[in-house]
Structure formats: structure tokens, C-alpha cells
Amino acid sequence: MARLDQVITNIVDIFLEYAEGEGSKHQLNKEELKKVLEQEIQSPELKGKINVDDIEEAMEMLDKNHDGEVNFREFCRCVCDLAKCYYHKKTGKGGKKFKGKEQEGCQED
């Protein structure tokens, strides 16, 4: 399988694995989101951008429809923002120059 294929299938598989609890609505509640962040992100560059102890703030930022859960679209937005942070760190581009909520956690240290 090509690398991008693997990334895409991994994102879907991880979301479904953690979202299959309580009635299988395919959404992540706060505890499920916390588990995803704690268990599936190991890179120091990314782990440093995530404060799993402050999950309330993360939920508020991700939960655009304000239903108390993160759906797949909202989860993808989170993954995309983490990818942007990693890209900016790796290339030295972006960081403080970017404006907008999706870049707040990406500022240079």
C-alpha cells in the first residue's frame, strides 16, 4: 500500500476504533478523544503541542457543532492542524506569522 493510502486508512481506522463505544454513533466524547491523543501520538514534536490535561479546551475548539462530541469531520480538522504544526516545525515556515484559530497551537517555542 502506498504511504498516503496508509495514512488515510490509519486516520479512519483510529477514529473508528476509539469512536465505537457507547451506542456506536461514530463520535468521540471527551474521554475517547483524550485516549486518542494520549495513546496514538508519540512524537515529541506533536505531543508538546497537545495538552491532554486540558481536554475541555480541546473539545471546545474541535466541537464546531457544540454537541459535546467530536465527529469525523472535526477529528480530521484536528489531524490536519497537527500536520500543519509538524510541517511548520520541520520547515521553519509559518509559526507566529500565521493568523487564525487553527494556527494558535503552532507558534514557535
Side-chain angles (χ1 to χ4, degrees):
M1 183 180 291
R3 290 186 313 162
L4 192 53
D5 290 344
Q6 190 64 47
V7 169
I8 293 167
T9 58
N10 281 342
I11 290 169
V12 172
D13 291 346
I14 288 169
F15 179 81
L16 291 175
E17 177 183 333
Y18 287 88
E20 286 189 347
E22 299 181 28
S24 192
K25 294 189 296 182
H26 299 294
Q27 295 191 1
L28 298 171
N29 62 33
K30 283 187 278 190
E31 282 304 310
E32 292 163 338
L33 179 62
K34 185 176 180 178
K35 285 180 187 177
V36 170
L37 298 177
E38 288 176 333
Q39 296 176 9
E40 299 297 336
I41 296 183
Q42 298 300 312
S43 163
E45 293 92 352
L46 296 177
K47 214 163 189 64
K49 300 294 181 190
I50 299 168
N51 182 0
V52 293
D53 295 329
D54 199 6
I55 200 71
E56 291 290 333
E57 186 177 327
M59 282 294 287
E60 187 175 316
M61 183 185 82
L62 294 173
D63 184 16
K64 298 296 182 187
N65 63 358
H66 307 290
D67 66 353
E69 296 184 313
V70 175
N71 63 32
F72 186 68
R73 171 181 262 154
E74 294 161 339
F75 178 73
C76 287
R77 189 175 298 122
C78 175
V79 172
C80 183
D81 287 346
L82 289 170
K84 288 177 192 175
C85 288
Y86 183 71
Y87 172 80
H88 296 308
K89 177 124 178 124
K90 192 166 181 96
T91 63
K93 297 180 180 180
K96 293 181 182 180
K97 297 175 188 172
F98 278 88
K99 297 177 183 172
K101 287 195 172 205
E102 73 270 2
Q103 297 299 329
E104 285 177 356
C106 295
Q107 296 192 1
E108 298 290 321
D109 297 317

